[in-house]
Amino acid sequence: MTESRIVLYYKFAPIKDPEAVKLWQQTLCRELGLKGRIIISEHGINGTVGGELSAVKTYVKQTRTYGPFRGTEFKWSAGEAEQFPRLSVKVRPELVAFGVPDQVKVDAEGIIGGGEHLKPEQVHQLVDSKRSEGVEVTFFDGRNAMEAQIGRFKNAVVPETETTRDFITELDSGKYDHLKDQPVVTYCTGGIRCEVLSALMKDRGFEEVYQLDGGIVRYGEAYQDSGLWEGELYVFDGRMNMRFSDDAKTLGECVNCAAATSRFHNCADRGCSTLKLYCEDCSHIPVTTRCAACTARAEAEPGHPNQGHLGKVRRRLASA
Ligand SMILES: [Zn+2]
Ligand SMILES: [Zn+2]
């Protein structure tokens, strides 16, 4: 039996010719039989790659031979390459799609003007030292708001974001201006979003911005559920959610019956990728797990029982 591994990594560094790097990475992965997703931009590289252990080792070694990628940190995890249906290597304007490629500046050291990196224990030190001065540190969630429904740092600010692009509108809305002279720690799943987010915040006048190094993943490894984190972590694979220990709180609520749950379920309609929280019982009722947009579409079809006057009344009652 062959052993499989997955590596997750990112590196911010100036790339003069992303297309050439793409071709090199594509060839390298194909030769080694690796699968996964790699994004390359003028700002660097971000990838999740899986395959046979020795092939992944070779991949890591080879990738690090390229000057700008020297010193890249690879996070190893157990897992099958089968988690990825194929190999996708793409050139994009940004590694994380905030929609503002021109506002991100990188040099060989990484993003220019980003927040100070704090390791998990340094976050605790910061919170304690600020508290002794009578100041509370604010945790700022750098993920999509949905993810924070099942887990977040205690008292965290969760911006109203459906996609990464929404952060720009949120930051420019003035909603968070009261934090501009406050200590703010940005956090996200693995740390890459906060590399960019913290720089965008500093650029907009937030004076004291930190970022959680290695993200929630590394924090959870260090403190599980005995620190400042609460709940479960949303993850981008088949599991959808994970807990750091059996003490993890369940923060999420079923959208149908309000029972405690951490489980996201896809909309019942095929091809719709809307995710909502449902408890175990409600998750088995297709009508219930159909999202609002798909329900409206279905009801608009001729012959649907909710057509006409009765349908209107029903809908009014449902939205009351
Ligand atoms: Zn329920
Ligand atoms: Zn839907």
Side-chain angles (χ1 to χ4, degrees), residues 67-85:
F69 299 158
R70 199 161 291 150
T72 303
E73 221 183 288
F74 289 83
K75 278 184 206 153
W76 290 79
S77 66
E80 307 289 316
E82 287 74 52
Q83 265 183 254
F84 307 103

Side-chain angles (χ1 to χ4, degrees), residues 266-274 289-295 297:
N266 254 306
C267 167
D269 280 20
R270 276 169 174 277
C272 176
S273 57
T274 301
T289 59
R290 181 180 273 164
C291 78
C294 289
T295 304
R297 205 174 309 127

Side-chain angles (χ1 to χ4, degrees), residues 254 256-259 278-279 281-282:
C254 173
N256 193 47
C257 75
Y278 291 102
C279 70
D281 289 345
C282 295

